[in-house]
Amino acid sequence: MANERLRALEEVEKEIAMTLQCAGNIVLELSKDKHNASFLDRQLLQFQTSVNRVESELSGQIRYLTQVATGQPHEGSTYSARKDCQMALNRAEYAKVKLGELGRTCEVMLEQQQQQQPL
Amino acid sequence: MASQRVLPQSKETLLQNYNKRLKDDIKSILDNFTEIIKTAKIEEETQVSRPTQAEQDHYEMHVRAANIVRAGESLMKLVSDLKQFLILNDFPSVNDAISLQNQQLRSLQDECDKKLTALRDEIAIDLYELEEEYYSSSYSLWDTSDVPLCEAFRRPDTWTSPDSSCSSPSEEREEVDGAPDSNPQHQLNGHSTASEKP
């Protein structure tokens, strides 16, 4: 849910850039001797759509925040679950180390046996 | 429709400020753009000479274009402030993110512990067989009075309940360790509970 709102705000940023781009295209087209009317109409429509979309989206976000914000700091945390998970991973790592030691001990014993056998 | 919350003055002021900035910036963009288009219109000559009028129009367009760009940048800043405010104060989404993260961490922990438990069970089975092999061979150092775990398992009189033949070696070890006074004459697995040592 948080990601959707943040993505919506990123889309708004793109819309703002689009608005300025359209305004620049319109002025550029007007500066020419012969204007392309259809191009001007399209750019103008896009400019108006972008401005309205930016305004409505940002108003909606501000309205949502007015309803949701409490003014208090959030005191939630994932610390306990993260610590438990870290302990579980430590247990697994410790078991791995101990099994490694056991394996090396067995290999040493086997090598000693193989060395003694030819004699 | 949710009723208006009673926010602290700073938060409410901040949100009102955001609204005002939004309205002002949008109005600035629209007004300045409209004036640029109006200025681009070719008009009849006035008392002011043509080069002067052109210079004036050029300067006005330059300023209005700069105003549009400034308003656009102000809107970008507003979006950035809103993102920050959202991350800090949008409690429903923060709660969702925390619960999702907790769920993922707990599932990882459960999976880890499950695998460790399965490993422990497998190793216990192998250990039982290895002990059986070791203590029945001539290499072991235990006394004849010592009872290895596999032998203790086979002797029904060693246990309080003779029918417990299906228990796992780890459970048997725990049961034996937990009841040292049941058979004081027998020592298990070479670990002497009496003062004598091999």
XYZ file of all heavy atoms in Angstrom, chain A residues 16 20 23, chain B residues 20-33 36 61-79:
292
model
N 4.466 16.395 -13.977
C 4.917 17.791 -13.876
C 5.929 18.079 -14.986
O 5.869 19.117 -15.668
C 5.534 18.069 -12.492
C 4.470 17.979 -11.403
C 6.175 19.450 -12.454
C 5.022 17.973 -10.002
N 5.596 20.852 -18.266
C 6.559 21.866 -18.715
C 7.007 21.583 -20.148
O 7.206 22.505 -20.955
C 7.765 21.894 -17.774
C 7.484 22.343 -16.341
C 8.761 22.442 -15.537
C 6.763 23.680 -16.319
N 4.269 22.811 -22.491
C 4.270 24.273 -22.576
C 5.395 24.741 -23.498
O 5.206 25.630 -24.351
C 4.407 24.878 -21.177
N -1.735 25.033 0.162
C -1.535 26.401 -0.360
C -0.449 26.409 -1.448
O -0.614 27.039 -2.508
C -1.147 27.329 0.795
C -1.053 28.800 0.416
C -0.764 29.658 1.621
C -0.643 31.122 1.237
N 0.312 31.361 0.149
N 0.634 25.694 -1.179
C 1.716 25.641 -2.160
C 1.228 25.016 -3.460
O 1.558 25.490 -4.566
C 2.889 24.835 -1.606
C 3.787 25.604 -0.681
C 4.664 24.687 0.143
N 5.588 23.901 -0.656
C 6.428 23.022 -0.130
N 6.442 22.800 1.169
N 7.256 22.340 -0.895
N 0.428 23.969 -3.341
C -0.095 23.306 -4.535
C -0.941 24.271 -5.354
O -0.739 24.424 -6.569
C -0.919 22.080 -4.121
C -1.701 21.374 -5.219
C -0.751 20.717 -6.207
C -2.625 20.311 -4.622
N -1.879 24.934 -4.676
C -2.782 25.856 -5.385
C -1.983 26.994 -6.031
O -2.224 27.357 -7.193
C -3.801 26.444 -4.400
C -4.724 25.426 -3.759
C -5.967 25.208 -4.590
C -6.969 24.294 -3.944
N -6.454 22.946 -3.682
N -1.025 27.563 -5.287
C -0.256 28.698 -5.810
C 0.569 28.302 -7.020
O 0.633 29.038 -8.022
C 0.669 29.257 -4.721
C -0.097 29.968 -3.631
O -1.300 30.257 -3.856
O 0.472 30.230 -2.559
N 1.200 27.119 -6.948
C 2.077 26.702 -8.049
C 1.260 26.402 -9.302
O 1.661 26.788 -10.418
C 2.899 25.476 -7.635
C 3.938 25.806 -6.594
O 4.361 26.971 -6.540
O 4.325 24.899 -5.821
N 0.146 25.718 -9.146
C -0.687 25.407 -10.321
C -1.207 26.703 -10.932
O -1.199 26.882 -12.170
C -1.856 24.487 -9.922
C -1.343 23.113 -9.477
C -2.850 24.343 -11.064
C -0.741 22.270 -10.567
N -1.630 27.630 -10.073
C -2.145 28.926 -10.568
C -1.044 29.693 -11.297
O -1.289 30.305 -12.355
C -2.657 29.730 -9.379
C -3.413 30.999 -9.742
C -4.045 31.604 -8.507
C -4.829 32.868 -8.869
N -4.046 33.875 -9.563
N 0.169 29.631 -10.754
C 1.288 30.333 -11.372
C 1.577 29.778 -12.759
O 1.771 30.542 -13.726
C 2.521 30.196 -10.476
O 3.663 30.691 -11.131
N 1.583 28.447 -12.865
C 1.865 27.821 -14.171
C 0.804 28.250 -15.183
O 1.127 28.684 -16.316
C 1.905 26.277 -14.045
C 3.176 25.838 -13.312
C 1.844 25.621 -15.397
C 3.256 24.354 -13.051
N -0.465 28.128 -14.797
C -1.540 28.423 -15.751
C -1.551 29.900 -16.136
O -1.668 30.232 -17.340
C -2.885 28.020 -15.138
C -3.136 26.522 -15.034
C -4.433 26.243 -14.282
C -3.182 25.887 -16.391
N -1.412 30.792 -15.141
C -1.489 32.230 -15.441
C -0.337 32.668 -16.328
O -0.533 33.395 -17.323
C -1.477 33.038 -14.143
C -2.772 32.872 -13.369
O -3.748 32.361 -13.968
O -2.820 33.250 -12.180
N 0.877 32.232 -15.968
C 2.039 32.652 -16.746
C 1.990 32.094 -18.162
O 2.346 32.783 -19.132
C 3.326 32.210 -16.043
C 3.689 33.118 -14.889
O 4.040 34.293 -15.097
N 3.589 32.630 -13.667
N 1.534 30.875 -18.314
C 1.448 30.308 -19.653
C 0.409 31.049 -20.491
O 0.636 31.350 -21.681
C 1.105 28.816 -19.552
C 1.062 28.129 -20.865
C 2.223 27.912 -21.590
C -0.140 27.704 -21.417
C 2.188 27.274 -22.812
C -0.177 27.075 -22.635
C 0.992 26.859 -23.340
N 1.850 34.303 -21.605
C 2.828 34.127 -22.697
C 2.094 34.016 -24.021
O 2.484 34.630 -25.035
C 3.720 32.885 -22.443
C 4.737 33.179 -21.340
C 4.435 32.473 -23.706
C 5.593 31.987 -20.975
N 8.209 37.656 -21.672
C 8.115 36.206 -21.904
C 9.207 35.475 -21.143
O 8.979 34.378 -20.621
C 8.231 35.907 -23.399
C 6.984 36.212 -24.172
S 7.109 35.502 -25.809
C 5.559 35.979 -26.490
N 10.374 36.083 -21.111
C 11.497 35.476 -20.408
C 11.162 35.305 -18.927
O 11.379 34.244 -18.328
C 12.726 36.374 -20.577
C 14.011 35.629 -20.398
N 14.528 34.802 -21.363
C 14.865 35.603 -19.371
C 15.661 34.286 -20.919
N 15.893 34.758 -19.718
N 10.606 36.364 -18.335
C 10.270 36.328 -16.903
C 9.148 35.320 -16.642
O 9.203 34.542 -15.684
C 9.861 37.748 -16.433
C 9.236 37.685 -15.049
C 11.073 38.655 -16.414
N 8.145 35.319 -17.514
C 7.019 34.397 -17.289
C 7.456 32.933 -17.462
O 7.014 32.054 -16.741
C 5.870 34.731 -18.233
C 5.212 36.056 -17.879
C 3.855 36.210 -18.520
N 3.304 37.534 -18.277
C 2.660 37.868 -17.147
N 2.508 36.984 -16.174
N 2.185 39.087 -17.014
N 8.332 32.702 -18.416
C 8.845 31.343 -18.586
C 9.625 30.907 -17.346
O 9.501 29.760 -16.878
C 9.727 31.262 -19.832
N 10.423 31.826 -16.803
C 11.164 31.524 -15.577
C 10.202 31.259 -14.426
O 10.440 30.370 -13.589
C 12.103 32.688 -15.227
N 9.079 31.996 -14.388
C 8.071 31.759 -13.340
C 7.463 30.369 -13.478
O 7.211 29.680 -12.489
C 6.963 32.811 -13.428
C 7.369 34.113 -12.787
O 8.305 34.139 -11.973
N 6.694 35.189 -13.152
N 7.219 29.958 -14.740
C 6.649 28.624 -14.945
C 7.634 27.564 -14.467
O 7.257 26.591 -13.786
C 6.290 28.407 -16.432
C 5.102 29.292 -16.832
C 5.961 26.957 -16.702
C 4.763 29.223 -18.302
N 8.884 27.734 -14.802
C 9.891 26.751 -14.387
C 10.034 26.747 -12.864
O 10.112 25.683 -12.235
C 11.246 27.056 -15.066
C 12.340 26.186 -14.477
C 11.154 26.827 -16.565
N 10.007 27.922 -12.255
C 10.100 27.993 -10.796
C 8.912 27.281 -10.152
O 9.063 26.548 -9.178
C 10.170 29.451 -10.335
C 10.420 29.603 -8.843
C 9.930 30.957 -8.356
N 8.529 31.183 -8.702
C 7.521 30.623 -8.053
N 7.722 29.810 -7.033
N 6.282 30.881 -8.441
N 7.712 27.487 -10.703
C 6.527 26.823 -10.156
C 6.634 25.305 -10.318
O 6.234 24.539 -9.429
C 5.259 27.337 -10.859
N 7.185 24.875 -11.456
C 7.375 23.440 -11.669
C 8.341 22.848 -10.656
O 8.086 21.778 -10.074
N 9.424 23.551 -10.398
C 10.396 23.065 -9.408
C 9.791 23.083 -8.006
O 10.059 22.193 -7.182
C 11.668 23.920 -9.447
C 12.545 23.598 -10.636
C 13.881 24.318 -10.582
O 14.151 25.033 -9.601
O 14.645 24.151 -11.538
N 9.000 24.079 -7.703
C 8.326 24.136 -6.405
C 7.367 22.960 -6.244
O 7.254 22.383 -5.154
C 7.577 25.463 -6.284
O 6.837 25.482 -5.096
N 6.699 22.582 -7.333
C 5.817 21.407 -7.272
C 6.623 20.137 -7.020
O 6.192 19.250 -6.272
C 5.040 21.262 -8.579
C 3.749 22.066 -8.702
C 3.141 21.877 -10.071
C 2.750 21.660 -7.633
N 7.804 20.039 -7.637
C 8.660 18.860 -7.403
C 9.075 18.784 -5.936
O 9.093 17.716 -5.331
C 9.920 18.941 -8.274
C 9.633 18.848 -9.755
S 9.042 17.220 -10.243
C 10.289 16.737 -11.385
N 9.413 19.933 -5.371
C 9.780 19.987 -3.945
C 8.597 19.562 -3.080
O 8.750 18.857 -2.087
C 10.243 21.416 -3.600
C 10.603 21.641 -2.144
C 11.951 21.047 -1.806
C 12.461 21.448 -0.438
N 11.599 21.012 0.671
N 7.401 20.013 -3.484
C 6.200 19.646 -2.736
C 5.986 18.133 -2.771
O 5.649 17.515 -1.759
C 4.989 20.363 -3.339
C 3.627 19.999 -2.766
C 3.534 20.388 -1.304
C 2.518 20.660 -3.558
N 6.209 17.535 -3.944
C 6.056 16.075 -4.063
C 7.064 15.372 -3.161
O 6.742 14.377 -2.496
C 6.220 15.640 -5.537
C 6.321 14.136 -5.649
C 5.062 16.130 -6.365
